[in-house]
Structures are given as C-alpha cells and as structure tokens.
Amino acid sequence: MATAVKYVGGGVPRKEDPKLLTGQGQFVEGLTLPGMLHMALVRSPFGSARINSVDVSAAAAADGVVAAFSGADLAGEWAAGLPMAWPVTDDIRIPDHWPVAQDVARYVGDAVAVVVATSRNAALDAAELVEVDYEVMEAVVDVEAALADGAPRVHESFDDNKSYTWTLTNGDVDAAFAKADVVVKERYRQPRLIPNAMEPRAVVVQSVPAAGDFTVWSTTQIPHVAKVLFALTLGIPESQIRVIAPDVGGGFGSKLNVYAEEALCIALARRLRRPVKWVASRSEGYVATIHGRDQVQEIEIAATSDGEILGYRVNILAAMGAYLQLVAPGVPLLGAFLYCGCYGGEAYHFECTGVFTNTTPTDAYRGAGRPEATYAIERAMDVLAREVGVDATEIRRRNFLPAGDMVQSPGGLAFDSANYEPALDRAVELLDYAGFRSDQAERRESGAGKQIGVGFSSYVEICGLAPSQVLASLKYAAGGWDAATVRMLPTGKAEVVTGSSPHGQGHVTSWSQIAADALGIPYEDVTVLHGDTHVAPHGMNTYGSRSLAVAGVAVYKACGRVVDKARLLAAHLLEVAPEDLDYEAGTFSVKGVPDRTKSMPELAFAAWTAHSLPEDSEPGLEAGCVYDPPNFTFPFGTHVAVVEVDTDTGAVELLRYIAVDDCGPVINPVIVDGQVHGGVAQGIAAALYEEATYAEDGTLETSSMINYLVPSAAEFPYFETDRTVTPSTSNPMGVKGIGEAGTIGSAPAVINAVVDALAHLGVTDVPMPATPERVWRAIQAAQGGEA
C-alpha cells in the first residue's frame, strides 16, 4: 500500500545493524570452503636488502604444508605487476611491483616467499622455516633525506628517489607576492599514519578449474575495480572473475587497493586447484597494509596589511613509500587545489614531488589529500591573523569567497555551493566565543598552570570523485561514474542494485530511504543489493565521499525512470493521457478525479503479469542509471576545538569539540552524525596521538598498538554537531558528502587550539602529534629554556 511517509531527512534506524549486533554478519574471515588451504607470507625484516637466495625446502617438507614458493618461483604467474592507476605526469617513474619480491626487498614487510598449508597455524609455523640469504643495504626513510645527494636509492634502476613532480599555477604569483605588505611562510609535517579498520584485511579465492572461473571474497572497498585489475594482473579474462565484498568492517581507504595477497591467493588457487585463504594479523597489517599522509609542507601566503590574501605558494614533498600503490601518486592532487581553502586571492602556485622511501607504501587514507591541505592553510591562517593583529575568526571572514554557485577559487576550481560565513557564525554562537575569551584572559592573568585555548578550522573539500572527463585530464585511469538498477517486484516491494560497496557508511539504509520516497512504498519494503560483481555488474565503488553524490544520485535517477515507466502503464490502465495524471507518495491519480488511482504496487503486479501493457512497452517495472556528474561537490564547514594545556607537563586535554558542517540536504541525520563523529575522532588522533615512525635502518618502530597510540572513546569529549544546508548544484538531489569531513576539519582546529593556549608564552607551533613531550619542549623553547 502506498504511504505518505517521507523517509529522506529522518533518522530511521540503520537496516544494517541488527545482523551485525547479533553476530549474524558475514565476514571473509568466517568463510570456510571444502579443501581450503591457508597462505602465510615470509616478509623481509630489513628496510633494504638484496635477496641472494630463498630456500623453501624445509618449509615445503613441514607437516601440513602443500607448497612453498619464492618470488622467482611465481614469476610466471603474473601478466603484469601490481597495478597503479594514477600516473600523474608523463615522466612519472613507476617501478615494477611484484606480489612477491624477486631481487630486492625494499621495506620491512615486503613479501619474499609464500607458504600454503592445510591450516593457518601450519602455514605460519612453516613460514619460519624458510631460509633467506639477505645482503642488507642502506635504507632511507625520510622524504628530505631521500632527495639529498648521494642518498641510497630505493630502486637502483632510477638515478634518484624522485617519482614525479606535479605543478599547478593560476595567475601571476610573483606579482601577487611583490605587492604584498605581509608574507607568512610556514613549514609543517604531516605524520605518517597507520589505518586501523576494525576488520583486518582478508581474502578467500575459490577456483573452478574445469571452467577457469574464480570467485574472490575480499575485504575490499572496490570489488568492481578490483575485478578489472585482477584480470590484468593475472591474465584471466574478466568474465571469469567474480568478486564479492561481503560485510566489511571498515576501510578508511586502506581497502581501496589491489594488494599482493589478493593476487597471490588467486594465483595459488589457480596453480594448486584448491581454495586458498589469507587473513592478516593486526601486526602484519601494520607493515603490509598501506599507510597514510607522510608529507613535508611549505606554504606561503601574501597579504595586504589588513590581512586580505593576494596569493599562495605551496611546496609539498610526499612520501610514496617503496612502491606506487593503486592511487598513491594522485593522493596529493586531491588536495592540490585546496591549499587556498575557502578563501580568495589573485594567484596560486602548488608543486608536489612524490618521493620513494624504504617504507610501507602510502595511499589514500580517510580524507586523502584534503586533510593535508586543510591543515596547512588553516594553520597558516592563524599565523596570518597574529601577523596582522586580528582575531582568528575575523581573518577568515575577511577572506571567505563570496556566497554563490560555481564560485571560482584561486586554485582553479569552481565551487558548486559556497556559503561559508553562516557555518562560522553558528560555531562561534555554540562556543560562546566572548565568554571563552573572558575565561582565557582570567587564567592568563592569574598565571594558572593550566591554560585554555580555542582553535578554528574553516574547511572546504572535494567530494564525489567525478566527472570522468576531469579525472582523465588529471591522468586518472578510471572513470567517476556509478550505476544503479531499481526494479519493482510483483508483490509491490522494490529491489535496488547499487555499484557502491559500503563498509560501514549505511548505504543500505540511505538508499532504501531514497527509493522508498521516490516509489512511495514503505522503507522496510526496499532491499539493497551490493558488493557482488555478479549481482551488481557495474560500479565504481566507495571512496572519497562519493557514494551519495554519485551512486546515491544514480539510485534517485533510476527510481525516477521507474516512476516514468509506471506513469505510462497507469495512463494505459486508467485510459487517460500520461500528462493527465498526478503522482504523489507512490500513487497516480487522474487530475480532477482523485478517486481514480493506481498505486505503485498495483502497477508492479500489472507490469509483471503483462496482461495489458501500453504499445511498445515491455513487461516489468525496472530501470537503470549510469550517472556521471558534471562536477565535484564541495562540502564545507567550521570546526572548533577547546583544549586545556598543563604548562608544567605539556599534557593536552580536549574540553569541547564543535562541528558545524554543510553537506547539503541530509538523507539520514543519525548516519551523518555518526560519520562526523568517526571522522573527528581520526583527525583528533592525528593531532594528539598517532604517528608511525621508522628507525634509520627502515625498522617500523610503531609496529603495534603498544607503541602506536590509537585513542579510545575515553580520550574524547562529547562532540557537538550542527549543520547549515546549502544544496549542491552538481546533482538533482543537492547532496554532497560527509564521510571525511570530520577528519579534514579536526586536526588543524586542535593544533590551533593548543597554540592559542600557549600563544602568550611565545609558542607559535607544536608539531603533530602534540604529545606532552612536544608541547613541553615548545614551551621551553619559546621561553628560552632547553627544548
């Protein structure tokens, strides 16, 4: 029966949760197949080492072992090396990247041999029996050291460690700086971060030798993309590969890749003609799953004496790690246009150099380029405010781009929906800014040992990675479209098939809300199918906060086409012209005769029986949409952090956190708040706790949660969230994206707050993460003491 209930905008319960909360989730690790084998890898303990020989004989003879291989043994399995899909310049250096190293191990964790056994424990035990003769070489782990003359080369076939240099210039930058009254120049370091999804990576591969078919279950964010790349890497026809991403316990970009272990399981299943499974341990994931960030940033801002920005100069050194993972070279480009933030100016120059180091490869990690850009500009804005003697909120207001649609930014992009000041105003209101400054002044006057500070971050980000033509201009190998099919079933319920592949974002819930409103049926009557390339054959998957703005809009447009088809059928059955029908809440009614109606469930059954159809129409109510947006979307907002700093110990306590975001019209406020909470937590973690560090020889010093500090809920205050709503002009729903906003806005807000708390002591910067030791040293250095 049709319903007038509207679901979009309401906080309906997530459909995904009951099975997850009751232990009914279906994860790769829980999958067992008859005759299944287990894979373990032997990984290099050295940052750089030549492989003189690999002896697997003892491992091969161990109990339960079916086979053991070196990289050389498996060399014939590969049609190509592991894929890299974003060659950002014509002269980029792309090294061969084999699933198992054949000549040189280039980072701690680089696989050098593989063991397959009848149990996981047997495989792990036998892996310890593999004997590798290493010739240890000098490693280089720092991006600046890697570019120095005479630095050890990560790849001997290249004459240095530079992978590429990419530049962007708009306007006359030299002229803008020449006429500036004020120039601020800052240098920041983005620490290397280790993703910690709740579910470690895992893969199971089953082959059907007689048919040459392969089914791959993987903890991946990109089943459709992976299917294509598996085919290219292993030389298997794409039509013979099925990829299934079942329930996936988080990704944050770390599962936006094609990994060696996936390719190896396919190759071994083909070779051994039995199912093969691999599950990462947490510590193994720390070296074998991509890392994030790791940049050195220099940013210059030219301004007038009253703080009006004239131009920007930005230079970035970005660590690629030992190899180029799937989209690693392009990650800095996702922020390249945003080092001007949501501010104006006449000219802009950006340059990024990608650098090889003897470390785990980096790639997209929640925010992917945009947190780095936002950190640099938002920290520099506070420096500019102090330089010209105005408040941190005032410097932002003076430089915000004007409100409007398709507003041109200094970085060269047209922002689809700019309206930045209301978000800042709302954040200031929630904070009680005047009251805070009064409290701060009292503490400073009293010389209290614990000082408070406030930090602002007004961000804009790029979401909805599309359109395809723009991605082509940036040399990205794939498209930016996504696909959906919507079908009404004979019983009046609906099935939505989506190319997105969720791993915690709540797509099943949100897509059900969109379809229920469009089709006028209960939310409970919508089923969403995803994550299986045989069920949903087309898709570009989930990353970059693109799902709603691309795949969700595809669902919306496909629903509209179903309604259009239903209108023709209703007109036929009611014996009126299609234009003589009104449509509301899933029911067509004849204009002027409202009791003559046909509901969507009635039409679905009529279309299925096909007893009476309009001429030239087909049975069934079904429609698809492949949607390629005309532009990115540009969510924005202002985040505020309030901290208390113990000036004797350097300890930082986060007292309040306010997030005012603008992601356009909201589908489900509960999901949006959850995404903001999670993103903010990860950004705060980068600001105060997390940092992956390497010893000079390439050893990962932060190799577990014992020394890589992942905060818990106990470290966070209550997050205060609010929103402004400025619809996007890039899609008919006006939606943008929210999954990464919290991570993008939070780190600079927190560090700005720490610096603000200590500004009266002369502190102007505290590097991330602002550990007690770093804060204490910054205080000592500012006061002329030993730092």
Side-chain angles (χ1 to χ4, degrees), residues 655-687:
L655 301 179
R656 290 184 69 186
Y657 196 92
I658 299 167
V660 181
D661 298 291
D662 195 314
C663 59
V666 169
I667 305 301
N668 188 310
V670 175
I671 288 176
V672 167
D673 284 345
Q675 289 290 308
V676 172
H677 289 181
V680 166
Q682 284 183 276
I684 293 171

PDB file of all heavy atoms in Angstrom, residues 655-687:
ATOM      1  N   LEU A 655      38.612  19.714  25.794  1.00  0.00           N
ATOM      2  CA  LEU A 655      37.450  20.004  26.628  1.00  0.00           C
ATOM      3  C   LEU A 655      36.153  20.025  25.844  1.00  0.00           C
ATOM      4  O   LEU A 655      35.125  19.545  26.320  1.00  0.00           O
ATOM      5  CB  LEU A 655      37.641  21.363  27.318  1.00  0.00           C
ATOM      6  CG  LEU A 655      38.863  21.523  28.219  1.00  0.00           C
ATOM      7  CD1 LEU A 655      38.903  22.927  28.807  1.00  0.00           C
ATOM      8  CD2 LEU A 655      38.863  20.483  29.333  1.00  0.00           C
ATOM      9  N   ARG A 656      36.165  20.619  24.650  1.00  0.00           N
ATOM     10  CA  ARG A 656      34.956  20.710  23.825  1.00  0.00           C
ATOM     11  C   ARG A 656      35.349  20.536  22.374  1.00  0.00           C
ATOM     12  O   ARG A 656      36.475  20.869  21.960  1.00  0.00           O
ATOM     13  CB  ARG A 656      34.263  22.070  23.988  1.00  0.00           C
ATOM     14  CG  ARG A 656      33.600  22.313  25.301  1.00  0.00           C
ATOM     15  CD  ARG A 656      32.869  23.648  25.304  1.00  0.00           C
ATOM     16  NE  ARG A 656      31.690  23.658  24.420  1.00  0.00           N
ATOM     17  CZ  ARG A 656      30.971  24.749  24.172  1.00  0.00           C
ATOM     18  NH1 ARG A 656      31.313  25.916  24.689  1.00  0.00           N
ATOM     19  NH2 ARG A 656      29.911  24.677  23.371  1.00  0.00           N
ATOM     20  N   TYR A 657      34.412  20.004  21.603  1.00  0.00           N
ATOM     21  CA  TYR A 657      34.609  19.945  20.159  1.00  0.00           C
ATOM     22  C   TYR A 657      33.278  20.231  19.479  1.00  0.00           C
ATOM     23  O   TYR A 657      32.270  19.569  19.762  1.00  0.00           O
ATOM     24  CB  TYR A 657      35.156  18.594  19.688  1.00  0.00           C
ATOM     25  CG  TYR A 657      35.692  18.706  18.285  1.00  0.00           C
ATOM     26  CD1 TYR A 657      37.027  19.004  18.061  1.00  0.00           C
ATOM     27  CD2 TYR A 657      34.841  18.607  17.187  1.00  0.00           C
ATOM     28  CE1 TYR A 657      37.512  19.185  16.776  1.00  0.00           C
ATOM     29  CE2 TYR A 657      35.320  18.796  15.898  1.00  0.00           C
ATOM     30  CZ  TYR A 657      36.663  19.085  15.701  1.00  0.00           C
ATOM     31  OH  TYR A 657      37.138  19.286  14.434  1.00  0.00           O
ATOM     32  N   ILE A 658      33.274  21.233  18.608  1.00  0.00           N
ATOM     33  CA  ILE A 658      32.076  21.668  17.891  1.00  0.00           C
ATOM     34  C   ILE A 658      32.320  21.493  16.404  1.00  0.00           C
ATOM     35  O   ILE A 658      33.349  21.935  15.881  1.00  0.00           O
ATOM     36  CB  ILE A 658      31.755  23.145  18.198  1.00  0.00           C
ATOM     37  CG1 ILE A 658      31.488  23.329  19.695  1.00  0.00           C
ATOM     38  CG2 ILE A 658      30.584  23.634  17.364  1.00  0.00           C
ATOM     39  CD1 ILE A 658      31.479  24.784  20.135  1.00  0.00           C
ATOM     40  N   ALA A 659      31.395  20.850  15.718  1.00  0.00           N
ATOM     41  CA  ALA A 659      31.496  20.656  14.270  1.00  0.00           C
ATOM     42  C   ALA A 659      30.218  21.165  13.613  1.00  0.00           C
ATOM     43  O   ALA A 659      29.135  20.631  13.882  1.00  0.00           O
ATOM     44  CB  ALA A 659      31.706  19.181  13.933  1.00  0.00           C
ATOM     45  N   VAL A 660      30.354  22.188  12.793  1.00  0.00           N
ATOM     46  CA  VAL A 660      29.233  22.694  12.000  1.00  0.00           C
ATOM     47  C   VAL A 660      29.569  22.427  10.543  1.00  0.00           C
ATOM     48  O   VAL A 660      30.474  23.046   9.980  1.00  0.00           O
ATOM     49  CB  VAL A 660      28.989  24.193  12.239  1.00  0.00           C
ATOM     50  CG1 VAL A 660      27.802  24.665  11.405  1.00  0.00           C
ATOM     51  CG2 VAL A 660      28.740  24.465  13.721  1.00  0.00           C
ATOM     52  N   ASP A 661      28.871  21.488   9.946  1.00  0.00           N
ATOM     53  CA  ASP A 661      29.174  21.043   8.588  1.00  0.00           C
ATOM     54  C   ASP A 661      28.031  21.369   7.644  1.00  0.00           C
ATOM     55  O   ASP A 661      26.870  21.464   8.063  1.00  0.00           O
ATOM     56  CB  ASP A 661      29.433  19.536   8.573  1.00  0.00           C
ATOM     57  CG  ASP A 661      30.627  19.147   9.413  1.00  0.00           C
ATOM     58  OD1 ASP A 661      31.754  19.471   9.037  1.00  0.00           O
ATOM     59  OD2 ASP A 661      30.421  18.524  10.486  1.00  0.00           O
ATOM     60  N   ASP A 662      28.367  21.515   6.373  1.00  0.00           N
ATOM     61  CA  ASP A 662      27.364  21.724   5.329  1.00  0.00           C
ATOM     62  C   ASP A 662      27.585  20.683   4.244  1.00  0.00           C
ATOM     63  O   ASP A 662      28.489  20.806   3.414  1.00  0.00           O
ATOM     64  CB  ASP A 662      27.467  23.132   4.745  1.00  0.00           C
ATOM     65  CG  ASP A 662      26.240  23.512   3.923  1.00  0.00           C
ATOM     66  OD1 ASP A 662      25.810  22.670   3.097  1.00  0.00           O
ATOM     67  OD2 ASP A 662      25.729  24.634   4.080  1.00  0.00           O
ATOM     68  N   CYS A 663      26.763  19.628   4.289  1.00  0.00           N
ATOM     69  CA  CYS A 663      26.849  18.562   3.288  1.00  0.00           C
ATOM     70  C   CYS A 663      25.610  18.563   2.398  1.00  0.00           C
ATOM     71  O   CYS A 663      25.275  17.549   1.790  1.00  0.00           O
ATOM     72  CB  CYS A 663      27.041  17.210   3.943  1.00  0.00           C
ATOM     73  SG  CYS A 663      25.741  16.726   5.096  1.00  0.00           S
ATOM     74  N   GLY A 664      24.928  19.718   2.336  1.00  0.00           N
ATOM     75  CA  GLY A 664      23.711  19.785   1.551  1.00  0.00           C
ATOM     76  C   GLY A 664      22.565  19.105   2.284  1.00  0.00           C
ATOM     77  O   GLY A 664      22.627  18.855   3.496  1.00  0.00           O
ATOM     78  N   PRO A 665      21.478  18.801   1.568  1.00  0.00           N
ATOM     79  CA  PRO A 665      20.352  18.097   2.198  1.00  0.00           C
ATOM     80  C   PRO A 665      20.797  16.758   2.782  1.00  0.00           C
ATOM     81  O   PRO A 665      21.563  16.017   2.157  1.00  0.00           O
ATOM     82  CB  PRO A 665      19.370  17.902   1.039  1.00  0.00           C
ATOM     83  CG  PRO A 665      19.736  18.961   0.049  1.00  0.00           C
ATOM     84  CD  PRO A 665      21.215  19.135   0.157  1.00  0.00           C
ATOM     85  N   VAL A 666      20.312  16.451   3.957  1.00  0.00           N
ATOM     86  CA  VAL A 666      20.730  15.247   4.682  1.00  0.00           C
ATOM     87  C   VAL A 666      19.724  14.127   4.443  1.00  0.00           C
ATOM     88  O   VAL A 666      18.517  14.323   4.584  1.00  0.00           O
ATOM     89  CB  VAL A 666      20.847  15.555   6.186  1.00  0.00           C
ATOM     90  CG1 VAL A 666      21.024  14.277   6.997  1.00  0.00           C
ATOM     91  CG2 VAL A 666      22.012  16.507   6.425  1.00  0.00           C
ATOM     92  N   ILE A 667      20.216  12.956   4.097  1.00  0.00           N
ATOM     93  CA  ILE A 667      19.341  11.789   3.925  1.00  0.00           C
ATOM     94  C   ILE A 667      18.970  11.208   5.284  1.00  0.00           C
ATOM     95  O   ILE A 667      17.800  10.948   5.571  1.00  0.00           O
ATOM     96  CB  ILE A 667      20.025  10.719   3.051  1.00  0.00           C
ATOM     97  CG1 ILE A 667      20.468  11.303   1.708  1.00  0.00           C
ATOM     98  CG2 ILE A 667      19.076   9.526   2.830  1.00  0.00           C
ATOM     99  CD1 ILE A 667      19.360  11.886   0.881  1.00  0.00           C
ATOM    100  N   ASN A 668      19.979  10.997   6.140  1.00  0.00           N
ATOM    101  CA  ASN A 668      19.732  10.402   7.450  1.00  0.00           C
ATOM    102  C   ASN A 668      20.624  11.094   8.469  1.00  0.00           C
ATOM    103  O   ASN A 668      21.839  10.895   8.474  1.00  0.00           O
ATOM    104  CB  ASN A 668      20.021   8.900   7.416  1.00  0.00           C
ATOM    105  CG  ASN A 668      19.592   8.198   8.697  1.00  0.00           C
ATOM    106  OD1 ASN A 668      19.915   8.621   9.789  1.00  0.00           O
ATOM    107  ND2 ASN A 668      18.856   7.102   8.549  1.00  0.00           N
ATOM    108  N   PRO A 669      20.066  11.926   9.349  1.00  0.00           N
ATOM    109  CA  PRO A 669      20.893  12.694  10.284  1.00  0.00           C
ATOM    110  C   PRO A 669      21.675  11.836  11.264  1.00  0.00           C
ATOM    111  O   PRO A 669      22.761  12.227  11.693  1.00  0.00           O
ATOM    112  CB  PRO A 669      19.880  13.597  11.006  1.00  0.00           C
ATOM    113  CG  PRO A 669      18.552  12.940  10.807  1.00  0.00           C
ATOM    114  CD  PRO A 669      18.626  12.253   9.483  1.00  0.00           C
ATOM    115  N   VAL A 670      21.148  10.683  11.616  1.00  0.00           N
ATOM    116  CA  VAL A 670      21.868   9.812  12.536  1.00  0.00           C
ATOM    117  C   VAL A 670      23.145   9.291  11.871  1.00  0.00           C
ATOM    118  O   VAL A 670      24.222   9.261  12.487  1.00  0.00           O
ATOM    119  CB  VAL A 670      20.973   8.644  12.996  1.00  0.00           C
ATOM    120  CG1 VAL A 670      21.757   7.664  13.861  1.00  0.00           C
ATOM    121  CG2 VAL A 670      19.765   9.176  13.749  1.00  0.00           C
ATOM    122  N   ILE A 671      23.040   8.890  10.613  1.00  0.00           N
ATOM    123  CA  ILE A 671      24.218   8.421   9.885  1.00  0.00           C
ATOM    124  C   ILE A 671      25.209   9.556   9.693  1.00  0.00           C
ATOM    125  O   ILE A 671      26.430   9.376   9.854  1.00  0.00           O
ATOM    126  CB  ILE A 671      23.800   7.805   8.537  1.00  0.00           C
ATOM    127  CG1 ILE A 671      23.108   6.454   8.778  1.00  0.00           C
ATOM    128  CG2 ILE A 671      24.996   7.634   7.611  1.00  0.00           C
ATOM    129  CD1 ILE A 671      22.576   5.797   7.524  1.00  0.00           C
ATOM    130  N   VAL A 672      24.722  10.744   9.371  1.00  0.00           N
ATOM    131  CA  VAL A 672      25.618  11.892   9.190  1.00  0.00           C
ATOM    132  C   VAL A 672      26.367  12.187  10.483  1.00  0.00           C
ATOM    133  O   VAL A 672      27.597  12.376  10.477  1.00  0.00           O
ATOM    134  CB  VAL A 672      24.831  13.123   8.713  1.00  0.00           C
ATOM    135  CG1 VAL A 672      25.685  14.390   8.820  1.00  0.00           C
ATOM    136  CG2 VAL A 672      24.372  12.931   7.277  1.00  0.00           C
ATOM    137  N   ASP A 673      25.661  12.226  11.604  1.00  0.00           N
ATOM    138  CA  ASP A 673      26.340  12.476  12.871  1.00  0.00           C
ATOM    139  C   ASP A 673      27.376  11.399  13.161  1.00  0.00           C
ATOM    140  O   ASP A 673      28.480  11.692  13.644  1.00  0.00           O
ATOM    141  CB  ASP A 673      25.324  12.537  14.014  1.00  0.00           C
ATOM    142  CG  ASP A 673      24.546  13.841  14.044  1.00  0.00           C
ATOM    143  OD1 ASP A 673      24.970  14.809  13.367  1.00  0.00           O
ATOM    144  OD2 ASP A 673      23.509  13.902  14.733  1.00  0.00           O
ATOM    145  N   GLY A 674      27.037  10.147  12.870  1.00  0.00           N
ATOM    146  CA  GLY A 674      27.992   9.065  13.092  1.00  0.00           C
ATOM    147  C   GLY A 674      29.234   9.205  12.237  1.00  0.00           C
ATOM    148  O   GLY A 674      30.367   8.976  12.705  1.00  0.00           O
ATOM    149  N   GLN A 675      29.059   9.590  10.979  1.00  0.00           N
ATOM    150  CA  GLN A 675      30.210   9.801  10.108  1.00  0.00           C
ATOM    151  C   GLN A 675      31.076  10.947  10.612  1.00  0.00           C
ATOM    152  O   GLN A 675      32.312  10.876  10.587  1.00  0.00           O
ATOM    153  CB  GLN A 675      29.737  10.084   8.682  1.00  0.00           C
ATOM    154  CG  GLN A 675      29.152   8.876   7.963  1.00  0.00           C
ATOM    155  CD  GLN A 675      30.211   7.843   7.625  1.00  0.00           C
ATOM    156  OE1 GLN A 675      31.242   8.151   7.035  1.00  0.00           O
ATOM    157  NE2 GLN A 675      29.965   6.609   8.003  1.00  0.00           N
ATOM    158  N   VAL A 676      30.440  12.030  11.065  1.00  0.00           N
ATOM    159  CA  VAL A 676      31.199  13.162  11.603  1.00  0.00           C
ATOM    160  C   VAL A 676      31.957  12.740  12.855  1.00  0.00           C
ATOM    161  O   VAL A 676      33.149  13.048  13.017  1.00  0.00           O
ATOM    162  CB  VAL A 676      30.276  14.352  11.889  1.00  0.00           C
ATOM    163  CG1 VAL A 676      31.027  15.460  12.641  1.00  0.00           C
ATOM    164  CG2 VAL A 676      29.697  14.906  10.597  1.00  0.00           C
ATOM    165  N   HIS A 677      31.288  12.015  13.753  1.00  0.00           N
ATOM    166  CA  HIS A 677      31.947  11.577  14.983  1.00  0.00           C
ATOM    167  C   HIS A 677      33.197  10.753  14.663  1.00  0.00           C
ATOM    168  O   HIS A 677      34.267  10.978  15.240  1.00  0.00           O
ATOM    169  CB  HIS A 677      30.988  10.734  15.825  1.00  0.00           C
ATOM    170  CG  HIS A 677      29.889  11.524  16.441  1.00  0.00           C
ATOM    171  ND1 HIS A 677      28.920  10.953  17.263  1.00  0.00           N
ATOM    172  CD2 HIS A 677      29.560  12.838  16.379  1.00  0.00           C
ATOM    173  CE1 HIS A 677      28.092  11.872  17.671  1.00  0.00           C
ATOM    174  NE2 HIS A 677      28.443  13.023  17.131  1.00  0.00           N
ATOM    175  N   GLY A 678      33.048   9.778  13.771  1.00  0.00           N
ATOM    176  CA  GLY A 678      34.188   8.927  13.443  1.00  0.00           C
ATOM    177  C   GLY A 678      35.313   9.695  12.780  1.00  0.00           C
ATOM    178  O   GLY A 678      36.497   9.483  13.077  1.00  0.00           O
ATOM    179  N   GLY A 679      34.954  10.591  11.870  1.00  0.00           N
ATOM    180  CA  GLY A 679      35.975  11.380  11.199  1.00  0.00           C
ATOM    181  C   GLY A 679      36.704  12.303  12.153  1.00  0.00           C
ATOM    182  O   GLY A 679      37.937  12.441  12.091  1.00  0.00           O
ATOM    183  N   VAL A 680      35.957  12.951  13.040  1.00  0.00           N
ATOM    184  CA  VAL A 680      36.578  13.835  14.026  1.00  0.00           C
ATOM    185  C   VAL A 680      37.536  13.046  14.914  1.00  0.00           C
ATOM    186  O   VAL A 680      38.653  13.499  15.216  1.00  0.00           O
ATOM    187  CB  VAL A 680      35.491  14.539  14.867  1.00  0.00           C
ATOM    188  CG1 VAL A 680      36.094  15.183  16.111  1.00  0.00           C
ATOM    189  CG2 VAL A 680      34.780  15.592  14.030  1.00  0.00           C
ATOM    190  N   ALA A 681      37.127  11.852  15.325  1.00  0.00           N
ATOM    191  CA  ALA A 681      37.993  11.029  16.169  1.00  0.00           C
ATOM    192  C   ALA A 681      39.311  10.730  15.469  1.00  0.00           C
ATOM    193  O   ALA A 681      40.385  10.793  16.099  1.00  0.00           O
ATOM    194  CB  ALA A 681      37.277   9.728  16.538  1.00  0.00           C
ATOM    195  N   GLN A 682      39.263  10.427  14.185  1.00  0.00           N
ATOM    196  CA  GLN A 682      40.506  10.129  13.470  1.00  0.00           C
ATOM    197  C   GLN A 682      41.368  11.369  13.293  1.00  0.00           C
ATOM    198  O   GLN A 682      42.600  11.294  13.354  1.00  0.00           O
ATOM    199  CB  GLN A 682      40.180   9.487  12.116  1.00  0.00           C
ATOM    200  CG  GLN A 682      39.769   8.029  12.266  1.00  0.00           C
ATOM    201  CD  GLN A 682      39.503   7.354  10.939  1.00  0.00           C
ATOM    202  OE1 GLN A 682      38.415   7.457  10.398  1.00  0.00           O
ATOM    203  NE2 GLN A 682      40.491   6.663  10.427  1.00  0.00           N
ATOM    204  N   GLY A 683      40.742  12.522  13.091  1.00  0.00           N
ATOM    205  CA  GLY A 683      41.527  13.748  12.971  1.00  0.00           C
ATOM    206  C   GLY A 683      42.166  14.154  14.283  1.00  0.00           C
ATOM    207  O   GLY A 683      43.332  14.583  14.320  1.00  0.00           O
ATOM    208  N   ILE A 684      41.426  14.033  15.380  1.00  0.00           N
ATOM    209  CA  ILE A 684      41.993  14.321  16.695  1.00  0.00           C
ATOM    210  C   ILE A 684      43.134  13.361  17.000  1.00  0.00           C
ATOM    211  O   ILE A 684      44.163  13.741  17.574  1.00  0.00           O
ATOM    212  CB  ILE A 684      40.905  14.232  17.775  1.00  0.00           C
ATOM    213  CG1 ILE A 684      39.872  15.344  17.590  1.00  0.00           C
ATOM    214  CG2 ILE A 684      41.515  14.305  19.172  1.00  0.00           C
ATOM    215  CD1 ILE A 684      38.645  15.200  18.469  1.00  0.00           C
ATOM    216  N   ALA A 685      42.947  12.098  16.597  1.00  0.00           N
ATOM    217  CA  ALA A 685      44.005  11.105  16.809  1.00  0.00           C
ATOM    218  C   ALA A 685      45.294  11.528  16.132  1.00  0.00           C
ATOM    219  O   ALA A 685      46.390  11.401  16.706  1.00  0.00           O
ATOM    220  CB  ALA A 685      43.550   9.753  16.284  1.00  0.00           C
ATOM    221  N   ALA A 686      45.196  12.054  14.908  1.00  0.00           N
ATOM    222  CA  ALA A 686      46.391  12.532  14.206  1.00  0.00           C
ATOM    223  C   ALA A 686      46.991  13.744  14.902  1.00  0.00           C
ATOM    224  O   ALA A 686      48.214  13.895  14.966  1.00  0.00           O
ATOM    225  CB  ALA A 686      46.047  12.874  12.765  1.00  0.00           C
ATOM    226  N   ALA A 687      46.136  14.611  15.443  1.00  0.00           N
ATOM    227  CA  ALA A 687      46.622  15.833  16.072  1.00  0.00           C
ATOM    228  C   ALA A 687      47.324  15.570  17.394  1.00  0.00           C
ATOM    229  O   ALA A 687      48.299  16.252  17.735  1.00  0.00           O
ATOM    230  CB  ALA A 687      45.456  16.797  16.281  1.00  0.00           C
TER     231      ALA A 687
END
